[in-house]
Amino acid sequence: ACPRQFILKALRTVGLVLFYYVFSIGITFYNKWLMRDFHFPLFMTLVHLIIIFCFSTLIRCAMQCWSGKLRVTLSWKVYLSKVAPTALASVLDIGLSNWSFLFITISLYTMTKSSAVLFILFFSLVFKLEEPNPFLIPVVLLIASGLFMFTLKSTQFNLEGFLMVVLASFIGGIRWTLTQILMQKAELGLQNPIDTMYHLQPLMFIGLFPLFLLNEGLSVSTTEKLFRVTELSHLLYCLLTLSVGGMLAFGLGFSEFLLVSRTSSLTLSIAGIFKEICTLLLAVEFMGDKMSMVNWLGFTVCLSGISLHIGLKTYYNKGTNLMVRQLPGRDKPDIELPLLQTKEDYNEDTNDEEEHEILH
């Protein structure tokens, strides 16, 4: 029975990882493809937020009808004070990431976005979610030097797009730190990912809308792709492509949640490394991205830093629990950042009893 259970568990894990890859890699290439002709990344992000909100609302209603229990709804005071900072950081991270596709290749985007782990570590130390550790120094040096080598002699380097992704990674560090704090507050009741997505999307829309008006408002209102369209088929095609992107965005969040809830956040972190390798190989093969040996070496060094961080987390979590601090108010938090989660906190038996949020 044991070998059979092991094989079934392994097959399930592989299936969940592949399911996650489909949405994660798919949305990266899809957004890049869409940006070739549709030069309105902020408008695209707003459409995605609306679609995610609609899907999460429908699923919340279905869950409420199925269970007969009311879903959590926050008061306006708590909503604006607790959720708003996380929503603003989230939408700036996503918006800048999508915006950068107008300027840079998938290869440069993938590599630069890997630097987000540096900012996650930094803000985790600032908010005391993680204890200082001397082994963090080589991790930071490997990732930083790898990023430098990757961009040193890149033939397709674009400074504007590169700075956008770096800024997005920086804000992403704030985003995931605030999200971890938000998710670990038991009194808020946002442990379920659908509830979290439902509450975040409206504030994310409001936060991004002024930036959209400032940068794209006039262009979108006068473009022949949308409001000045001459043929209905063109409008329907545009709306269809935007809707597909929104469904991919929702699927990405759901697949991440499913992977972590059925395996562990460590599995997601390791899967993320191979996902980045697959993304780069596909970009070079099908998108015409060019990378020199120095760029590949830099990417390898950066991946080594990320792998070292995951390995050290696993090693230290076997003996002690010093690498992650639990937040006040929760004896055993079931929601933690993938790169910061203790392996001891994960219990396979809780998979069918508790619902977990995945933060990526």
Side-chain angles (χ1 to χ4, degrees), residues 307-342:
S307 303
L308 177 62
H309 177 56
I310 295 173
L312 289 172
K313 294 295 298 177
T314 306
Y315 174 78
Y316 274 92
N317 291 339
K318 288 180 179 179
T320 63
N321 201 18
L322 297 176
M323 295 291 281
V324 179
R325 284 186 177 180
Q326 297 180 358
L327 298 184
R330 300 200 65 180
D331 295 329
K332 191 176 180 62
D334 56 356
I335 310 299
E336 293 195 22
L337 195 64
L339 291 178
L340 303 178
Q341 185 181 26
T342 59

Side-chain angles (χ1 to χ4, degrees), residues 92-108:
L92 288 176
D93 178 16
I94 297 171
L96 286 169
S97 297
N98 289 337
W99 201 346
S100 69
F101 280 124
L102 290 176
F103 307 98
I104 63 175
T105 62
I106 291 179
S107 299
L108 183 58

Side-chain angles (χ1 to χ4, degrees), residues 193 252-262 355-358:
L252 173 60
F254 181 76
S255 63
E256 291 173 333
F257 153 69
L258 195 61
L259 176 60
V260 136
S261 65
R262 295 298 179 183
E355 295 168 304
H356 300 264
E357 167 66 296
I358 158 62

